[in-house]
Amino acid sequence: TVNEMDPALLDRFWTVDLTPSVEDWLAWAEGNIHENVLSFIKTNPKWLDSPKNTEASAVAPSRRSWDRLEEALVKAGVVDQPDGPLFYPICLGFIGTEATIAFHGYVKTMDRQVSGEEIVNKYHEVKAKVAKLGQEKLNVAIEKVTDFLFANNVTTLTDAQGANLRDFMKDLPGELRTVAWSKWTSKGMEKIELAKSIHKWCVDSLLESFGVKRPPATAPATDSHVDVGAQSKAKRGKK
């Protein structure tokens, strides 16, 4: 039971609203939570908390339920056995259907998992993994990149990040390049600098998917061009 505190008592305390970030939870989870759960949340941070508009009575993921789920899986000895008869139903009872499907699939294919952070910051290390992903998993990878960019409030890409996203987009089939572009620039004016960075590094790959190539930039006039014109005018003046 939760009882509302009397205002006369409440105003004798110092109060503050705390909104812990995903990074705060991950920092606590290091050394306290099994690697399977920790790695899943690192790669899929949107599953740490319940989706918006979740009914209060619904079974859904939360920071508390992930802690309890990890404890139950470890005690049952099935945290590394996603194909066993207990793994799925235990997850279902703690984090609900959608999160269970995502987590179960992740643990089954951990050797092929790629995070958004890895694609953005060190694509060359996971390029071989990406090459083995099918269409559905590539869609998931695009979504993870989107989550990483927005969750970490990336405003402009560094040269290294830009080159990584450029190379990643080149490795995508044409139709998924359009999907990636739409998702990464979906914030519009709210993330206009990020959109400009993505345009700078990825527009050529997007245009290639439509069979279009940008014309080479026109070379600026050089000093020699100016000198030739000046000499021509000088000769006409002498005549």
Side-chain angles (χ1 to χ4, degrees):
T1 302
V2 178
N3 296 317
E4 189 172 323
M5 185 176 290
D6 185 272
L9 178 61
L10 179 62
D11 65 10
R12 287 172 167 78
F13 293 91
W14 178 78
T15 60
V16 61
D17 291 326
L18 292 177
T19 306
S21 66
V22 175
E23 288 70 27
D24 292 331
W25 188 87
L26 290 173
W28 166 82
E30 290 282 355
N32 293 308
I33 295 293
H34 191 277
E35 177 60 27
N36 286 3
V37 175
L38 184 62
S39 176
F40 174 73
I41 298 300
K42 280 183 179 179
T43 307
N44 304 274
K46 68 180 182 180
W47 287 115
L48 178 59
D49 299 303
S50 301
K52 292 181 179 179
N53 303 321
T54 300
E55 294 182 10
S57 59
V59 179
S62 71
R63 297 163 195 243
R64 296 181 300 276
S65 63
W66 282 113
D67 180 28
R68 295 292 294 161
L69 170 60
E70 184 268 354
E71 183 180 356
L73 291 174
V74 170
K75 285 187 176 180
V78 297
V79 70
D80 287 317
Q81 300 174 28
D83 291 323
L86 294 178
F87 188 97
Y88 194 93
I90 290 176
C91 292
L92 203 60
F94 281 106
I95 58 176
T97 303
E98 292 185 357
T100 293
I101 291 172
F103 180 53
H104 180 251
Y106 179 88
V107 176
K108 287 182 67 174
T109 59
M110 281 191 68
D111 60 324
R112 301 195 299 274
Q113 293 296 329
V114 180
S115 70
E117 180 181 8
E118 288 174 321
I119 292 173
V120 174
N121 290 332
K122 43 189 176 183
Y123 183 61
H124 64 283
E125 294 184 12
V126 295
K127 182 179 174 71
K129 283 186 178 182
V130 170
K132 298 177 182 178
L133 300 179
Q135 185 105 343
E136 183 180 350
K137 293 295 184 182
L138 286 173
N139 257 314
V140 173
I142 291 170
E143 190 64 43
K144 288 178 181 178
V145 170
T146 307
D147 290 343
F148 176 79
L149 293 174
F150 293 166
N152 290 277
N153 199 29
V154 176
T155 52
T156 56
L157 301 173
T158 65
D159 287 347
Q161 290 174 332
N164 285 333
L165 282 189
R166 176 199 63 204
D167 294 344
F168 173 58
M169 185 174 269
K170 284 183 178 179
D171 290 339
L172 293 173
E175 62 273 20
L176 289 186
R177 295 182 189 185
T178 307
V179 172
W181 180 276
S182 298
K183 288 183 178 294
W184 300 344
T185 61
S186 61
K187 294 288 187 178
M189 293 301 296
E190 181 184 342
K191 292 276 190 181
I192 189 62
E193 294 304 320
L194 175 60
K196 288 179 180 178
S197 279
I198 291 170
H199 181 278
K200 172 185 175 182
W201 289 99
C202 300
V203 69
D204 287 334
S205 295
L206 177 67
L207 292 176
E208 283 177 11
S209 66
F210 296 104
V212 178
K213 287 189 177 182
R214 282 198 300 174
T218 304
T222 62
D223 291 342
S224 61
H225 294 143
V226 176
D227 291 343
V228 170
Q231 291 172 4
S232 177
K233 289 180 180 179
K235 289 180 180 178
R236 288 198 299 270
K238 288 180 181 180
K239 292 179 180 180

